[in-house]
Amino acid sequence: MSNLFLFNLSRNHNEDLKTCLELMNNSDSLLLLENGVFWTEKGAMTDDIHKQILHKNLTVFALDEDVQARGITPINAVSVNLIDYSGFVTVVEEHRQTITY
Amino acid sequence: MQSEPALIKKVLFIIRSGPFDGLKAREAIDAVLATAAFEQHVTVHFQDEGVRLLNRDMNPEALKSKNLGKMIKAFGMYGVSSISVSTGDCKRYNCSPENAVTTFTTLDQNGVRELIANQDVTLVF
């Protein structure tokens, strides 16, 4: 069973997102929430971040309530699965550990 | 009445916050000691700015704040089973066995991923 990583830091934290991705195993999931949802905006993710996500076959989620609250449109080459709070609960249930980065 | 068997979990603490980065590092160390006191299987991994906590030359008394290095030194006494540092960050923050408050092993990124995969709970500070 894979692990779920929660990432809530804004785009000022490029290095933090990179080190978070480095800790993730293949097929783990990343849930972007709070200011982390800004990473779903166009051009937010650098090429090396993209590559890591694709290379490790990571599933990326973003919390819809946080996306709506910030008025952003997730358009990203990495397909982002928007989930609401109840989806959040389901995703947590589906993973072995939930790791808040 | 038969007593229930003790529930022992494997708990990994990843400490990324530096010594003067608010109270986060202090909280992490308190949590490590508390968890170990409850006889859980505790592993601690230092990375990023967290590696600075191992520097034995720190003298926080100059700022009248608590010496976290002394608390890390006590990890062994509390039964913390292993302490590791990310290889790259070890170099980056000039951490060596000679200038660290405790003995540690180094782990590359693969090693850290494996470590996480083997835990019941991973907490990042």
Side-chain angles (χ1 to χ4, degrees):
Chain A
M1 220 170 164
S2 55
N3 292 327
L4 173 69
F5 284 71
L6 307 186
F7 191 86
N8 69 351
L9 300 173
S10 72
R11 286 172 59 179
N12 287 340
H13 298 267
N14 198 51
E15 287 303 310
D16 292 305
L17 181 56
K18 269 200 232 170
T19 49
C20 176
L21 293 172
E22 276 167 17
L23 292 185
M24 295 175 72
N25 277 295
N26 290 343
S27 306
D28 277 348
S29 304
L30 176 70
L31 169 55
L32 299 166
L33 72 169
E34 297 168 18
N35 285 339
V37 299
F38 285 125
W39 288 99
T40 65
E41 278 184 305
K42 190 184 179 188
M45 290 184 187
T46 53
D47 283 348
D48 43 342
I49 288 175
H50 259 144
K51 270 186 207 150
Q52 279 261 44
I53 292 173
L54 296 173
H55 177 67
K56 289 189 178 173
N57 192 25
L58 306 176
T59 308
V60 182
F61 298 99
L63 194 63
D64 198 20
E65 280 86 342
D66 286 331
V67 168
Q68 286 180 32
R70 286 160 183 76
I72 56 169
T73 319
I75 30 174
N76 212 296
V78 172
S79 57
V80 176
N81 303 280
L82 284 180
I83 52 170
D84 59 9
Y85 276 111
S86 63
F88 186 179
V89 175
T90 312
V91 169
V92 168
E93 278 181 336
E94 285 168 355
H95 290 80
R96 206 173 75 84
Q97 293 184 64
T98 300
I99 300 167
T100 307
Y101 197 72
Chain B
M1 206 173 82
Q2 214 174 2
S3 62
E4 285 185 26
L7 183 62
I8 298 177
K9 290 206 172 203
K10 285 199 262 184
V11 186
L12 166 67
F13 289 85
I14 298 180
I15 303 180
R16 306 181 57 226
S17 308
F20 300 98
D21 190 8
L23 290 173
K24 234 174 167 186
R26 173 70 200 272
E27 285 169 0
I29 291 165
D30 282 343
V32 167
L33 296 176
T35 311
F38 281 94
E39 293 177 352
Q40 303 299 301
H41 190 284
V42 176
T43 309
V44 183
H45 179 74
F46 292 91
Q47 68 171 43
D48 302 324
E49 288 279 336
V51 177
R52 294 194 192 277
L53 290 162
L54 297 172
N55 179 359
R56 68 156 49 149
D57 295 328
M58 276 196 299
N59 184 19
E61 285 85 354
L63 294 174
K64 297 189 169 28
S65 63
K66 193 150 174 130
N67 193 333
L68 300 177
K70 281 186 185 162
M71 295 169 80
I72 292 172
K73 247 188 202 168
F75 278 5
M77 238 168 53
Y78 279 76
V80 171
S81 52
S82 84
I83 299 172
S84 56
V85 178
S86 287
T87 316
D89 293 333
C90 205
K91 280 192 200 130
R92 194 168 163 203
Y93 296 103
N94 296 318
C95 180
S96 69
E98 293 75 41
N99 66 18
V101 291
T102 181
T103 53
F104 60 86
T105 53
T106 53
L107 280 182
D108 61 11
Q109 293 296 353
N110 265 328
V112 184
R113 284 195 287 270
E114 236 170 77
L115 186 64
I116 293 172
N118 287 323
Q119 304 301 316
D120 294 311
V121 180
T122 304
L123 300 167
V124 184
F125 283 85

